[in-house]
Amino acid sequence: MKIRFSWPAGHLTATLDETPTSKALADALPISASANTWGEEVYFDTGVSVALEDDARQVVDPGTVAFWTEGNALALPYGPTPISRGGESRLASPCNVLGSFDGDPRLLATVRDGDPIRVELA
């Protein structure tokens, strides 16, 4: 499944795997939210509440589309966060991994704290 993220300075598409969380997210689309930034990560509330999946991870590749169950939020790392060790992308806590961006995730660097962000099926 492909989804599209749009914000004032750009947009990216992502391909999601078939997981319980990606299904719950797809059922809630479109979503509009206010973006938050944390180091080189963008995250925002989705209004979706799901359980932590068995393969949840805290350290992921840049460009991973992850779901932070503690905050009902999508977590979109494109580089190190304040708690990363070295150049890794370390999320605040284990997150469900949904898929990855199709393009260069560094485009997320143009998202500013408070920017409107929209997620919809692509």
Side-chain angles (χ1 to χ4, degrees):
M1 166 183 24
K2 287 199 179 281
I3 60 173
R4 178 182 172 99
F5 296 84
S6 305
W7 62 94
H11 60 85
L12 277 169
T13 59
T15 301
L16 303 187
D17 300 324
E18 291 292 325
T19 70
T21 302
S22 62
K23 169 113 176 62
L25 179 66
D27 290 347
L29 295 180
I31 293 170
S32 293
S34 179
N36 300 287
T37 58
W38 186 56
E40 293 186 6
E41 177 189 313
V42 174
Y43 69 97
F44 53 90
D45 181 59
T46 63
V48 175
S49 180
V50 295
L52 199 61
E53 294 177 10
D54 292 339
D55 60 349
R57 296 186 318 214
Q58 187 171 15
V59 176
V60 297
D61 292 330
T64 296
V65 177
F67 192 91
W68 182 39
T69 59
E70 293 175 26
N72 296 335
L74 279 170
L76 311 173
Y78 57 91
T81 66
I83 61 170
S84 291
R85 299 175 190 144
E88 71 183 10
S89 292
R90 182 177 293 266
L91 304 170
S93 59
C95 292
N96 295 342
V97 174
L98 306 186
S100 60
F101 283 101
D102 301 324
D104 182 357
R106 304 255 348 133
L107 287 174
L108 291 169
T110 64
V111 176
R112 299 288 168 243
D113 205 53
D115 273 356
I117 192 161
R118 180 176 169 86
V119 186
E120 58 198 337
L121 290 173

